[in-house]
Amino acid sequence: MAILKIARMGHPVLLLRAAAVVDPKAPEIAQLIENMAETLEDAGGVGLAAPQVHESLRLFIYKVPGARADEGEDEVPLSAVINPEITPLSDEITMGWEGCLSIPGLRAAVPRYERIRLSGYNAAGDAFASEISGFHARVVQHETDHLNGILYPMRMSDFRYFGFTEETMKYDFPLPKVQLQQEPVNE
Ligand code: NI
């Protein structure tokens, strides 16, 4: 196990389209997932994509702690997704706060699809598919974007809702309700 160095915004690895994982059951992929889990635990976020630790591969890990889950949603234990494919299940788009370990100290309100279908391979290398919504779907869209060289500021529609986490936490202002045309998330 090892704690990996996290690339920060401005590092070119974050702008690459990452390569598909050829063998989701390969031992080196399991090793990378373990090291990413330790790195995420140390850094204290909810998600981490392989390009953020300088590995330009299509995989990420994430969790939804109970405190972050939307009303009526279950928490999600730490999970890995290899070669994710996501498809919106409706046109509904919602605004929600996001941060990123590659953009420390800041957060922003970002438009995301409310409901998506997620498929890919889990940490054991087995194929799965599920339908997810709310904050869970938000995290998965954020992490999948990392695999396509997209950081959350590139998804923002209103830069008034971009600020230092510490400051924005002080002011509980309502997020704008928006219906926006968004580029397809799965490229
Ligand atoms: Ni991120």
Side-chain angles (χ1 to χ4, degrees):
M1 298 271 278
I3 293 174
L4 307 170
K5 188 176 181 196
I6 297 176
R8 292 190 303 166
M9 183 165 64
H11 194 293
V13 72
L14 296 173
L15 299 177
L16 298 176
R17 183 181 165 84
V21 173
V22 176
D23 177 9
K25 288 184 186 284
E28 54 273 24
I29 294 300
Q31 184 63 62
L32 174 59
I33 289 170
E34 269 194 39
N35 289 340
M36 284 171 62
E38 193 175 359
T39 304
L40 182 62
E41 175 69 29
D42 176 68
V46 296
L48 184 67
Q52 292 181 276
V53 293
H54 307 264
E55 292 284 352
S56 194
L57 290 170
R58 304 189 77 77
L59 75 91
F60 62 81
I61 61 171
Y62 75 102
K63 61 184 172 183
V64 178
R68 298 296 298 276
D70 284 357
E71 219 175 301
E73 272 186 29
D74 292 331
E75 64 175 81
V76 180
L78 187 65
S79 306
V81 186
I82 300 167
N83 295 343
E85 298 283 346
I86 62 183
T87 316
L89 290 173
S90 80
D91 293 335
E92 188 186 351
I93 286 172
T94 51
M95 298 291 279
W97 290 104
E98 295 183 20
C100 182
L101 291 173
S102 294
I103 313 175
L106 295 168
R107 68 173 191 159
V110 182
R112 298 286 183 187
Y113 289 107
E114 176 64 19
R115 295 178 61 236
I116 62 171
R117 180 178 190 275
L118 167 68
S119 64
Y121 297 83
N122 63 20
D126 297 320
F128 77 94
S130 58
E131 294 189 355
I132 58 178
S133 61
F135 186 72
H136 187 181
R138 172 172 299 279
V139 174
V140 165
Q141 288 170 84
H142 175 119
E143 299 308 329
T144 302
D145 267 355
H146 274 300
L147 311 184
N148 294 324
I150 297 169
L151 299 170
Y152 76 75
M154 297 153 74
R155 293 288 191 196
M156 287 183 62
S157 55
D158 188 339
F159 279 87
R160 291 177 299 172
Y161 298 91
F162 193 19
F164 291 97
T165 308
E166 208 178 304
E167 296 299 326
T168 61
M169 297 289 273
K170 287 185 202 163
Y171 309 101
D172 188 21
F173 46 90
L175 294 180
K177 297 245 183 288
V178 291
Q179 285 293 330
L180 293 169
Q181 291 303 313
Q182 199 179 32
E183 294 295 314
V185 285
N186 206 24
E187 296 170 19

